Amino acid sequence: MSSAGSAPSHNSPEKWSALFSGMLSPEAVIRTGEPLARRTTMRVGGPADVYVEPASEADLAQVLRICGEHDIPWLVLGRGSNVLFRDGGYAGVVISLSQSAFARIEVAAPEINCGAGARLKDVAYQAKAAGLSGFEFMEGIPGTVGGGLRMNAGAMGGAMFDLVSLVRLMGPDGQVRGCLPAQMKVEYRRCATLKDHVAISTVLRGEPAAREEIEQRMDAFNRKRWGSQPALPSAGCMFKNPRDVSAGKLIDELGLKGTRVGGAVVSLKHGNFIVNEGNATAQDVCRLIELIRERALVERGVELDPEVEIVGRE
Ligand code: EPU
């Protein structure tokens, strides 16, 4: 076994990658220079210095411990719908919980035990099949359970933590513990506890309901979404809604729909979406974000706070 003391300098992606190879199971995926644009819904941004798919909780614990010992920045990437990597890529380790060890969805009505890597859409469909209501809003969110918890993702009046009865999370030391929602820092579109802890799985509690009723609600949400939100690549809503106004309405009122920087455009359909017309760079998107924030502040005195996490090198 290697130890921190035996190798003083582990400061390059190749060295990080070698450290992981020595400590993780053979099923783990470890790559350097992994392109990230295709792993985000906005489809922009540079590569990850190192990309890891742990094959088990033990692998994940090793990754976090190694990162801690060597001061290597890390983040967990779900389906990439709420993160924007800058064009210079991510100087650290991007962890994906996409292997099957993290993807289970087990229904024990009225609860569903979900792995962090499970897709929200799949959870919504399993809930419907089991006659459990409360999960309908998840159907249209292109995210994973872990990402949904981290962001306290929501839509159509529902949000993730409305359903949570327990989260199993791993600390930077690799230890796993169960946490009640009351023990976690949760707010609108953010769970600060999951900034330095990784959600492994969660128990979500629904309400028994007739399947037709659930189906109708899901259909109505679906129609509303397709009617009001763009289909082009985007990161969903770009800004959190300020206290008294919808960010989309505000941006619309400012006449900013259609405003363009390079390949990034404020959607004509919904003002709070920036869409990638195909050739946008992360810099285009960031410039457009700044332009919108500036106009909202100068003309309306409103500070728009990005909902999307912007990370990586310029
Ligand atoms: N509106 C406009 N112009 C626009 C956009 C919206 O006038 O360009 C008006 C709408 O007509 C409506 C109001 O603003 O009267 C609110 O719009 P909408 O119903 O679309 O809701 P939202 O507040 O913009 C929120 C969530 C969405 C979620 C929808 C549907 C946030 C930041 N956004 O949007 O979540 O899908 O409700 O429930 O909380 C996301 O978080 O990524 C996201 C897309």
Side-chain angles (χ1 to χ4, degrees), residues 156 218-231 257 267-271 273:
M156 313 293 165
M218 269 166 111
D219 286 350
F221 290 171
N222 215 298
R223 275 196 302 277
K224 179 178 170 182
R225 188 160 37 83
W226 285 114
S228 64
Q229 299 183 2
K257 279 180 166 178
S267 165
L268 293 172
K269 213 163 177 184
H270 194 299
F273 282 67

